[in-house]
Amino acid sequence: PVLVESLIVFLIVLLVHAEVWDRYSWCAAALAIQAFYVQFKWDHLLQLGGAVFQFRTGANSGLLPASMVIPLLGIAMKERCKAAGIVYFERFGIVVASTGMLVALFLSVIAVGITKPMPTNTCMLTGVAGSIIIYTMKHSLTVSEVIEVLEVLLIFVYLSMILLYLLPRCFTPGEALLVLGGVSFALNQLIKRSLNVVEGRGDPIDFFLLVAVVGVVLLGLFFTVLFIFMDSGTWISSMFFHMMTAVLGLGVIMPWLYRLIQKNPLFWLLQFLFQTQTRVYLLVYWTFLAASACGVVFYQNAKRSSGCKKHQASTITRKYFHFIVVATYVPGLIYDRQLLYVAAVLCLALFIFLEYIRYFRIKPFGQTLRQLLSLFLDERDSGPLILTHIYLLLGMSLPVWLFPRSCAPKGTLPGARALVPYSGVLAVGVGDTIASVFGSTMGEVKWPGTKKTFEGTMTAIFAQIIAVALILIFDSSVNLNSSYAWILASVTLVSLLEAYTTQIDNLLLPLYLQIMLMA
């Protein structure tokens, strides 16, 4: 399975660079080849328990698929903004690609360094790839951009040491690269923009995302350190938790956001949410769907027999939430993408905050949340945190957040690129859901070395093609310009990746589909 997964990733890399070949293509190819070899060193370390930290069990390291995501996103963004003539975001794409390559190379060096005996051939390969990447960066980046890349790498190193120690078995090395790399980049961008507000680059919703992500992460770090010295399950600790959350939110996060957007954040948010009648209708509709999701949770827990405490929700039951999320995102994508952008940020902050309450057993809801959510755990929730629902939200939202709006003057891109915001809906909401449901109920022919079935994958591809046809009918802004073959190839490769990857598919698949469509 690891070899097939690697082959699929190599095919995606080749197809992307067949469309956007430039000097960074050599770097991406070198990075992919060395990540392929180093991935086996990581897998060996995980099997022997020789890794520095405790990583998620039941999965391979995932270094190759994770290593290519950020560089390919940056390269695709650079090409789109270059075509639109937006120099600032073209340079931003180069910085993103360089940062992703350097962070991935750092993880490779760590694996090679702690492997005993020292793998000479892999060391040489990593050295060659690093030399190509650094040489290209030297001739492509300005001094300020080099400093920015090194700042992100430094933040990534410190965040990795802290969070991987505090949260054992929550990530594979590849998932840690994606999650912590993204948080590191967001923190660096927030610091950079906070120190240079005068330029005013970006709009308020971008600042809102950065502050929300960094704010909830810093909040979690603060309480994790605090509750080392006190019992988090008492009423006194719980009251202190709520009080400090209010103090940090109103005393740090709100003023920080006010400095960036030059407006009162609460008034701006209320005005934004209720600006038009369409937004009010969407908010009412989303509230109904949220209540429905809560109803599913309560109903499934009520069905749990008191004599069967180990009963877990079935795959089909968990996919109810995928259908609800699709019903949430599609109207937002069609009618008001900016509202969907902000609403997804608010939901992410709420989900992470509720996970803090569950993890720290904060009264009065901490223990209740533990009991309600334990029914929906799967083998990927092997650490102290429950992250699958957060990954689902991220998988649906990242294509919306990462869509280069400034490089799409009319709010959309031509051809297959018009489907970029729908990447999460197609890959996770439709493809992964249909594959799981049909594969678990009617699938008989399994892909070699996996539990996934041929029938599930083929049904997922067919369902995504139907979904694209429906998007063409209902969303007038989408015009594919005869790029159907590329869309079919993208959907097929991502569906095959879903069948063979052991990483969190809710996070990985939408990003790869977005890369393919954007290229």
Side-chain angles (χ1 to χ4, degrees), residues 204-312:
I205 66 173
D206 292 321
F207 294 131
F208 188 65
L209 171 63
L210 293 175
V211 171
V213 170
V214 174
V216 293
V217 171
L218 294 180
L219 196 68
L221 287 174
F222 173 79
F223 285 118
T224 300
V225 173
L226 179 68
F227 288 136
I228 291 175
F229 304 101
M230 57 190 301
D231 183 8
S232 61
T234 64
W235 273 106
I236 294 177
S237 297
S238 299
M239 291 175 63
F240 187 73
F241 173 88
H242 295 301
M243 182 182 69
M244 287 304 299
T245 300
V247 169
L248 293 172
L250 298 176
V252 177
I253 296 174
M254 287 298 176
W256 201 346
L257 189 55
Y258 177 83
R259 172 174 168 77
L260 291 169
I261 68 176
Q262 301 297 311
K263 299 174 184 176
N264 185 301
L266 291 177
F267 291 157
W268 169 81
L269 182 60
L270 289 173
Q271 182 183 9
F272 179 87
L273 292 177
F274 301 101
Q275 194 169 18
T276 64
Q277 195 170 23
T278 302
R279 291 186 176 179
V280 174
Y281 290 151
L282 281 173
L283 289 172
V284 172
Y285 170 66
W286 289 341
T287 303
F288 168 75
L289 290 178
S292 301
C294 293
V296 171
V297 174
F298 288 121
Y299 174 72
Q300 291 296 326
N301 274 273
K303 285 176 60 179
R304 190 191 323 202
S305 164
S306 60
C308 187
K309 295 293 184 182
K310 293 185 178 181
H311 170 70
Q312 293 298 114

Side-chain angles (χ1 to χ4, degrees), residues 70 83 99 111 118 143 194 201 208 223 262 299 372 428 443 466 483:
I70 300 177
T99 303
M118 185 72 72
V143 175
S194 300
R201 296 187 186 274
F208 188 65
F223 285 118
Q262 301 297 311
Y299 174 72
L372 290 175
V428 175
I466 294 175
S483 52

Side-chain angles (χ1 to χ4, degrees), residues 288-345:
F288 168 75
L289 290 178
S292 301
C294 293
V296 171
V297 174
F298 288 121
Y299 174 72
Q300 291 296 326
N301 274 273
K303 285 176 60 179
R304 190 191 323 202
S305 164
S306 60
C308 187
K309 295 293 184 182
K310 293 185 178 181
H311 170 70
Q312 293 298 114
S314 66
T315 299
I316 296 177
T317 300
R318 287 199 293 270
K319 296 306 174 183
Y320 287 160
F321 299 103
H322 287 236
F323 287 118
I324 291 173
V325 170
V326 170
T328 301
Y329 274 73
V330 170
L333 288 167
I334 294 174
Y335 295 109
D336 198 326
R337 292 183 184 178
Q338 282 200 324
L339 178 64
L340 180 63
Y341 186 112
V342 173
V345 174

